[in-house]
Amino acid sequence: MNANQLKLIMMSLMVLDHLAPLLPPQLVVPFNLITRCVGVFFGFMAVEGFHYTRSRKNYLLRLYGWTGFMFLGNTIINTLIVKNPALGIHNNIFLTLAIGVSIIWAIDFSRRIKEPFFRILALLVALILTIVALLGLVEGGLVVVPFMLISYFFREQPRKRTIGYIIFSLILLSMNLIGLPDYSIDTLKMVMIMNPDFLFITVLPFIALYNGKKGSNKPIFKYIFYIFYPAHLWLITLIAFYLNQA
């Protein structure tokens, strides 16, 4: 399958994840578990975009531009309409992807530049941005950014890339298990439900289906994710808010 086809599938799963405020409680957890692959898939596609784009500068500016657009829309909705932190919207995966691409660009630059000063400076920028992501200061950064780095470093080595994904998933799983008071089935079930990030590994079948081709070059496919992501989140937030008011 090409990138456009897979993106449409992932956008459908993304809606299931974000529908939580409108769903009966018994559906929230299952939908949350089966959609852990979405964020990392778009991280994977961002790495592919970095590789294939004709202008990496424009690509990165586009990501940061949509980050600002999303932030502005979130701010307007949260301050002028919802006015309730519990019901507000704070998602912005554009920022996570932008930071991930920035790190990759800095690393790629350091590998090509000969001057030691600029190489060290680029690596320092990459390190700082990685720390920002790992501290959880951006949406899903703890998972998406390391996933993007694995995808970048082993892009030409699919088998090693898959092994990297599996090791990373096991690390996230072990982080859930360390320090538990007991390892009963109920405790393990609760921990997995509360922090299922390790299930990002379910993205592997979708990556395996990817044929390395972009698909149609029509503008709608270039911008559909950029438009759909904020639009569906804002719509769900507004619907949930007005239903809560009723």
Side-chain angles (χ1 to χ4, degrees):
M1 300 179 71
N2 62 48
N4 291 338
Q5 292 169 329
L6 289 168
K7 284 179 182 179
L8 291 175
I9 294 173
M10 286 297 161
M11 285 190 289
S12 300
L13 290 176
M14 182 170 58
V15 173
L16 292 182
D17 184 32
H18 294 150
L19 276 176
L22 306 177
L23 293 174
Q26 60 268 30
L27 292 180
V28 173
V29 170
F31 283 4
N32 184 51
L33 295 178
I34 66 176
T35 57
R36 292 309 86 208
C37 57
V38 175
V40 291
F41 178 81
F42 283 106
F44 178 83
M45 283 290 105
V47 175
E48 288 294 287
F50 174 81
H51 177 76
Y52 284 115
T53 185
R54 287 176 292 182
S55 174
R56 292 176 174 177
K57 181 184 71 173
N58 290 343
Y59 181 59
L60 192 57
L61 287 176
R62 183 160 67 245
L63 284 172
Y64 278 113
W66 282 94
T67 295
F69 177 73
M70 184 86 188
F71 178 78
L72 178 62
N74 289 355
T75 302
I76 291 173
I77 291 174
N78 291 340
T79 58
L80 300 182
I81 302 175
V82 176
K83 300 179 181 180
N84 183 344
L87 299 175
I89 178 171
H90 307 285
N91 305 67
N92 199 336
I93 197 67
F94 293 136
L95 177 59
T96 310
L97 298 178
I99 286 180
V101 172
S102 297
I103 294 170
I104 290 171
W105 196 1
I107 293 173
D108 189 74
F109 177 80
S110 73
R111 297 169 78 177
R112 291 184 290 104
I113 196 71
K114 294 182 179 180
E115 291 81 354
F117 173 79
F118 291 109
R119 178 177 297 175
I120 294 173
L121 182 62
L123 290 175
L124 182 60
V125 169
L127 176 62
I128 292 173
L129 290 177
T130 301
I131 292 173
V132 168
L134 296 181
L135 288 177
L137 300 180
V138 294
E139 180 187 0
L142 180 61
V143 178
V144 176
V145 170
F147 181 91
M148 291 176 68
L149 289 173
I150 294 171
S151 302
Y152 166 71
F153 282 115
F154 299 109
R155 186 178 179 277
E156 303 296 334
Q157 300 169 295
R159 182 174 296 181
K160 290 184 179 180
R161 183 180 64 195
T162 298
I163 293 173
Y165 293 156
I166 293 172
I167 292 174
F168 182 42
S169 177
L170 291 174
I171 291 173
L172 292 176
L173 177 60
S174 65
M175 289 171 62
N176 287 348
L177 302 179
I178 295 174
L180 290 180
D182 64 78
Y183 292 92
S184 65
I185 293 178
D186 288 340
T187 300
L188 292 175
K189 180 180 178 181
M190 182 59 64
V191 168
M192 301 308 172
I193 288 174
M194 293 181 65
N195 192 5
D197 286 340
F198 70 97
L199 288 177
F200 80 82
I201 200 67
T202 55
V203 76
L204 283 180
F206 298 99
I207 292 178
L209 288 172
Y210 176 53
N211 60 16
K213 298 180 180 179
K214 179 181 179 181
S216 174
N217 287 319
K218 293 181 179 179
I220 186 173
F221 288 106
K222 182 176 182 179
Y223 293 102
I224 188 170
F225 171 65
Y226 294 108
I227 297 171
F228 181 81
Y229 176 73
H232 90 282
L233 279 170
W234 293 340
L235 180 60
I236 290 172
T237 299
L238 292 174
I239 292 174
F241 170 71
Y242 286 114
L243 288 177
N244 199 285
Q245 296 295 103

